Amino acid sequence: KNCRVWRIKPKSDCSTDSTVVTELVTANRTITIDHQQYTIDTEALLMGHEDMVLSGKFLGRHHIITSSADRTVMKWAEAEEAWQSVMQVGDVTGIGAAGNGDLYDVDVLPDNSIVAHNTNGTIVVWQEPALQPLVLVSGHFGEVTDLAFDRVHGDYLLTCSADRTTRAWYLPDDG
């Protein structure tokens, strides 16, 4: 139901011989990597989903997007040292059987459309400003397990599925 944002910052030099993570002390949240100590502190606890958070991504320094088993996607913004929900879309169960299933991986396209996939092989796209489900595409026979967007040209979306297929979806500019 929650997403925790951590702040990791250098603490001080230390004298260990290892070049990998050698120490993780949860009581004071300190780790050592390559002779450098880092402190780990909770920056924020994002609360708003009604079920387990399944995916999260940073959108620049001050925005985060999360998807959840509650079938929603939320966008969060940092303002004056606090994180707030600034947008929520989802619960696509009202648009037919293609919309049923937890929303797993989520991403944002260059035109600020939001894309997520669910457990039944459906890809859902919401386009600003209305943020209504714009496209429901399916083509996999199993659960969609990952998605990636073409960040160079913005024309393709790749999806991978438990049915052992990868599909490239062409997304023309004219919709």
Side-chain angles (χ1 to χ4, degrees), residues 1-19:
K1 294 184 180 187
N2 305 320
C3 179
R4 191 174 304 266
V5 180
W6 299 94
R7 179 175 303 275
I8 302 171
K9 57 186 175 184
K11 182 178 177 183
S12 64
D13 288 330
C14 69
S15 57
T16 61
D17 293 331
S18 178
T19 58

Side-chain angles (χ1 to χ4, degrees), residues 76-152:
W76 307 85
E78 182 183 30
E80 298 181 28
E81 299 187 27
W83 287 86
Q84 299 175 357
S85 172
V86 294
M87 182 228 38
Q88 179 175 342
V89 295
D91 198 1
V92 294
T93 56
I95 58 176
N100 291 332
D102 303 342
L103 290 175
Y104 280 94
D105 201 13
V106 63
D107 207 346
V108 175
L109 308 180
D111 69 354
N112 290 325
S113 296
I114 297 165
V115 60
H117 67 78
N118 67 17
T119 53
N120 70 357
T122 302
I123 288 78
V124 184
V125 179
W126 295 270
Q127 189 173 43
E128 287 191 335
L131 293 175
Q132 295 297 315
L134 176 67
V135 179
L136 291 172
V137 291
S138 188
H140 292 291
F141 296 101
E143 172 185 336
V144 175
T145 56
D146 201 6
L147 59 85
F149 186 72
D150 167 18
R151 300 211 183 272
V152 176

